[in-house]
Amino acid sequence: MKKFVMAAVGGTLAGVIATTQIAGPLLAQETEKSSNVYEQLDLFGDIFERIRAQYVEEVDTEELVEAAINGMLTSLDPHSSYLSPKDALKMRDQTRGEFGGLGIEVTQEEGFVKVVSPIDGTPASEAGIEAGDFITHVDGESLLGLTLDDAVELMRGPVGSEIAITVVREGETEPFDVSLVRDTIQLTAVRARTEGNAVVLRVTTFNEQTYPKLKEGLDEQVKAAGGIENVSGFVVDLRNNPGGLLNQAIAVSDAFLEEGEIVSTRGRDAANGDRTNATPGDLAEGKPIVVLINGGSASASEIVAGALQDHRRAIVVGTKSFGKGSVQTIMPLRDEGAMRLTTARYYTPSGRSIQALGVSPDIIVAQPPTKPADPEDEDTAARPLRTEADLRGSLNNDSLTDDQVDQIMEDRAKAEKAASLREEDYQLAYAIDILKGLSALGPKK
């Protein structure tokens, strides 16, 4: 019994010694870290006071603090930043679908502003600004060394005022200037139309209007076609869509999925990850879908493309997307400003992250560069080729009725109209051709 008690006491003593040896250094490390943080804050305070007292010109202390906060956030990644009360208000307007500016979504790369995508129907789009362009100067002033928010601020101004930006574009040997007139940007989140028997849903952004407008446009086009049975399929055009609200990307994905995961997000603590699943109901009623993407398709666009691709619900066509696989949370601050902070990465249903990699299309189709028309080619194209029916005395087709011949000619006219779309938008025409091919393989009506 004595030996047992001694063993127990010895074990307790060893436990106390082991705990002291492990916990002691850990506590010391934490204390040292806290001490270092306070020392750094003291250093910040010292520098702040010296700037206020000794800088060559008097400084606005409020602007100085804002610059320090923004510097801290922008040092983390290209998407974290401080929003002043004015900028926070503009951001809220943008998510509602109306704001002032040039109509471009931008990020920062190598110190310059890089265009993620121009927005349809805006000054930037009409002036020919392209995804991937670098903006190096605004009205002759270099953007090198400026924060993204400062660079964007230079591009803002009164509606109707003119601005000149200097653009560097891959494939162009020299930078060139583009003049634009600032305008109020009113975003039409979704435009719906029918090409042949295919319904085209052009999604330009993900704001509060996106899912309601998508459903409304889809329903209108299906009704105009005389019912879903007369629709060959749907094209969801996400080209040059820079993203937007995560909940709208989820809603659009859910619109075409019956079940399964749409997207998962994981922050620093893996245990706090979140998964979102689809709910029953497919607006397309099982009809085939083609999703169009390009280098200007980012963030929320990539969530939709990745979800439909992983579930084999859609064929993704175009070129590699932008590759923004992070989630930003807008956190209101007490001065009515806000902080945009990257809080998580998102993953497609298969568990892949598209951060810096993008979504790879199932079928790569590049948009050919626009070439000036050649008058000689036009003359050649305008001259019809002779066929058997043009030959004098050719035999009539005795196997078809007049109504059947009329139907063939009508179908041929539709096919020719679809082919002419290739000159205007090759990628969209390709998507519609895929839907037509899939429809042709379906059950005979």
Side-chain angles (χ1 to χ4, degrees):
M1 182 68 180
K2 185 177 179 182
K3 286 182 180 179
F4 178 77
V5 171
M6 289 297 292
V9 170
T12 303
L13 181 61
V16 170
I17 294 170
T19 303
T20 304
Q21 288 175 340
I22 295 169
L26 286 175
L27 288 171
Q29 287 175 16
E30 288 299 319
T31 304
E32 186 179 343
K33 283 181 182 178
S34 298
S35 176
N36 287 339
V37 169
Y38 286 120
E39 285 177 9
Q40 293 294 316
L41 288 173
D42 286 341
L43 175 62
F44 172 79
D46 184 30
I47 292 171
F48 179 77
E49 288 301 328
R50 291 194 183 200
I51 291 172
R52 283 211 314 169
Q54 299 177 21
Y55 186 65
V56 65
E57 295 177 356
E58 189 173 347
V59 295
D60 185 317
T61 55
E62 194 173 306
E63 289 182 2
L64 206 57
V65 171
E66 282 188 5
I69 294 170
N70 198 44
M72 178 168 56
L73 287 164
T74 55
S75 69
L76 301 173
D77 66 82
H79 307 294
S80 295
S81 64
Y82 170 72
L83 299 170
S84 67
K86 183 174 69 173
D87 291 337
L89 179 61
K90 287 180 179 177
M91 184 213 64
R92 287 190 286 271
D93 288 340
Q94 184 167 344
T95 59
R96 294 188 191 106
E98 183 175 321
F99 59 98
L102 300 178
I104 47 175
E105 181 78 11
V106 295
T107 186
Q108 197 162 38
E109 188 175 305
E110 298 176 3
F112 292 110
V113 173
K114 184 179 182 180
V115 176
V116 175
S117 68
I119 299 168
D120 287 357
T122 64
S125 175
E126 291 172 4
I129 300 298
E130 297 180 2
D133 284 349
F134 282 92
I135 301 173
T136 61
H137 294 74
V138 171
D139 289 331
E141 183 175 343
S142 175
L143 302 185
L144 187 62
L146 295 181
T147 66
L148 183 60
D149 285 343
D150 288 342
V152 169
E153 191 62 35
L154 280 178
M155 289 185 273
R156 290 178 179 149
V159 171
S161 60
E162 192 170 342
I163 177 176
I165 60 174
T166 303
V167 175
V168 173
R169 179 176 296 167
E170 186 177 355
E172 298 287 342
T173 55
E174 296 290 336
F176 56 92
D177 290 339
V178 179
S179 293
L180 305 97
V181 177
R182 297 179 178 97
D183 198 0
T184 299
I185 310 301
Q186 294 183 331
L187 293 181
T188 302
V190 181
R191 294 187 181 93
R193 72 181 194 273
T194 299
E195 292 281 351
N197 294 325
V199 174
V200 180
L201 301 165
R202 170 72 178 125
V203 184
T204 59
T205 188
F206 287 89
N207 60 28
E208 294 171 2
Q209 306 172 15
T210 302
Y211 174 74
K213 291 295 183 184
L214 178 119
K215 185 178 185 306
E216 179 185 319
L218 185 150
D219 289 344
E220 285 177 357
Q221 296 302 313
V222 170
K223 184 178 179 181
I228 193 72
E229 64 277 6
N230 297 321
V231 174
S232 61
F234 297 84
V235 177
V236 180
D237 187 353
L238 299 175
R239 292 174 297 174
N240 293 328
N241 182 323
L245 300 177
L246 176 63
N247 66 341
Q248 290 296 304
I250 291 170
V252 170
S253 302
D254 194 5
F256 302 109
L257 293 173
E258 292 279 5
E259 60 181 1
E261 184 179 300
I262 293 173
V263 66
S264 63
T265 56
R266 302 174 213 168
R268 182 191 296 185
D269 185 355
N272 293 333
D274 188 36
R275 295 178 185 274
T276 305
N277 293 318
T279 55
D282 175 5
L283 294 183
E285 298 186 30
K287 290 284 184 173
I289 299 170
V290 174
V291 173
L292 280 175
I293 61 171
N294 64 5
S297 307
S299 191
S301 299
E302 295 171 299
I303 289 175
V304 175
L308 297 183
Q309 184 181 55
D310 280 3
H311 283 288
R312 302 178 69 85
R313 182 64 189 91
I315 300 169
V316 179
V317 173
T319 54
K320 182 177 74 68
S321 64
F322 186 75
K324 180 181 177 293
S326 59
V327 178
Q328 283 68 47
T329 302
I330 306 298
M331 302 176 181
L333 301 175
R334 56 189 173 189
D335 66 346
E336 295 189 0
M339 174 171 64
R340 183 193 289 117
L341 186 67
T342 300
T343 54
R345 288 183 172 88
Y346 69 75
Y347 299 81
T348 68
S350 64
R352 61 186 168 130
S353 168
I354 56 87
Q355 176 59 31
L357 293 176
V359 174
S360 298
D362 298 306
I363 304 173
I364 296 176
V365 179
Q367 188 83 311
T370 304
K371 295 180 181 178
D374 185 341
E376 293 184 6
D377 289 345
E378 286 184 5
D379 289 344
T380 303
R383 194 164 53 244
L385 296 174
R386 289 169 63 81
T387 67
E388 170 71 16
D390 297 319
L391 299 179
R392 183 178 299 169
S394 61
L395 298 175
N396 292 327
N397 188 312
D398 61 355
S399 67
L400 300 173
T401 66
D402 289 343
D403 287 343
Q404 289 173 322
V405 171
D406 289 343
Q407 183 61 53
I408 288 173
M409 298 306 290
E410 185 180 331
D411 291 342
R412 183 175 298 167
K414 286 181 180 178
E416 288 172 353
K417 184 180 177 183
S420 67
L421 182 62
R422 293 174 195 157
E423 299 297 323
E424 179 187 335
D425 190 337
Y426 183 79
Q427 289 173 321
L428 178 58
Y430 197 102
I432 292 170
D433 285 345
I434 289 174
L435 293 178
K436 186 177 180 182
L438 292 172
S439 178
L441 294 175
K444 199 170 184 179
K445 293 182 182 179

